[in-house]
Amino acid sequence: MSLESIPLPTSTGPATPESAPTGPRTSALTESGRPALWDRTGVRLALGAVLPLVILAAWQIVTATGLVPAYRLPGPLAVVQAGAELAERGELGLHIAISVQRVLLGFAIGSLAGLAVAAVVGLSRAGDALLNPTLAALRAVPSLAWVPLLILWLQIGEESKVTLIAIGAFFPVFTTVASALRHIDPHLVEAGRCFGLRGWSLFRTIQLPAVVPSVVSGLRLALAQAWLFLVAAELIASSMGLGFILNDSQQNGRVDRILLAIVLLALLGSLTNALLGLVEKKLLARWA
């Protein structure tokens, strides 16, 4: 008898889509085997582009007609020209590269730390009692509150910024994964122990596959939080990066560059989230 032959707990709830038809919203495939209309990539991309295009058109209309003065809201073309100006001077690519590097480093460090601490808190009652109250209190501290302390300890350098971003990425991963580990079906864990699984082998074989969806959700939240904390770090103490562009443009009255930085942050956040989505598919295919 092998571990794969362990009978999984059965659900007593409503029938699943495989056992009973529940309508088109719960089925990813049509009767012909093709993806449902709303699940087709082309349809989703087209629908996803509708709202940005509407916003862009409204932006162009209110600026071109003079409903909003240009010094308050420059038109889309002015924002593009501001980006081209920075690109010609070789500054735009450098600002973007520095911000992306900070986010990826902070996200990686914070996520790994969050996974490690979540394992301790989620799998150990002693760890939960010891660490969870303190971490719950630290989670409530606003991001800007950390900035003066980090500057005092680590000076105005990359260390303070990456550390702040790591703090932002830590808590979503920790909270999501620790909660998932605490709610793993105890029957599965007990079955694994009956087969002699302990420690790392039990975690790798039983507990980790059970929380992969929660890990992915935590990573998505952590990535979004990393971009938020990046702006907080670069607004306060930075001479490069997209947050610096925001702060410098505010002081110089360059609303076009402020909008440029906001658009770039939105695009970069969407791009990194899409890349994480590809990782999610591989993880779910391997473990879920």
Side-chain angles (χ1 to χ4, degrees), residues 2-227:
S2 64
L3 185 60
E4 287 75 8
S5 63
I6 300 174
L8 298 179
T10 58
S11 172
T12 59
T16 61
E18 290 75 15
S19 58
T22 56
R25 290 182 62 85
T26 59
S27 177
L29 297 177
T30 62
E31 292 181 358
S32 62
R34 298 179 61 189
L37 177 63
W38 305 112
D39 294 324
R40 296 175 185 173
T41 303
V43 174
R44 294 184 64 85
L45 290 176
L47 289 177
V50 169
L51 185 56
L53 290 175
V54 170
I55 294 174
L56 185 62
W59 180 9
Q60 176 63 32
I61 290 171
V62 298
T63 54
T65 58
L67 292 177
V68 180
Y71 69 88
R72 288 186 179 275
L73 182 64
L77 182 59
V79 174
V80 173
Q81 290 173 344
E85 178 186 345
L86 289 175
E88 289 175 358
R89 292 159 49 182
E91 296 180 9
L92 185 61
L94 185 59
H95 286 300
I96 293 174
I98 289 176
S99 290
V100 170
Q101 175 182 286
R102 290 167 177 165
V103 165
L104 294 181
L105 281 175
F107 169 71
I109 295 171
S111 297
L112 289 175
L115 288 172
V117 178
V120 174
V121 172
L123 299 176
S124 168
R125 294 191 177 185
D128 185 17
L130 179 65
L131 298 176
N132 203 33
T134 301
L135 293 174
L138 292 176
R139 187 170 62 245
V141 177
S143 59
L144 291 178
W146 293 104
V147 174
L149 187 62
L150 292 176
I151 292 177
L152 183 64
W153 284 351
L154 302 176
Q155 307 303 319
I156 302 177
E158 291 302 301
E159 293 82 2
S160 60
K161 298 175 185 62
V162 172
T163 301
L164 181 61
I165 296 168
I167 291 173
F170 171 86
F171 287 105
V173 175
F174 161 73
T175 305
T176 306
V177 178
S179 176
L181 286 171
R182 282 196 295 266
H183 292 88
I184 292 177
D185 190 341
H187 295 90
L188 290 178
V189 177
E190 187 61 30
R193 287 173 177 164
C194 289
F195 281 85
L197 298 178
R198 294 291 187 277
W200 168 249
S201 59
L202 178 65
F203 177 76
R204 178 178 57 84
T205 308
I206 301 293
Q207 294 164 321
L208 180 59
V211 298
V212 164
S214 296
V215 171
V216 173
S217 298
L219 291 176
R220 282 184 175 273
L221 293 172
L223 184 60
Q225 194 84 333
W227 282 106

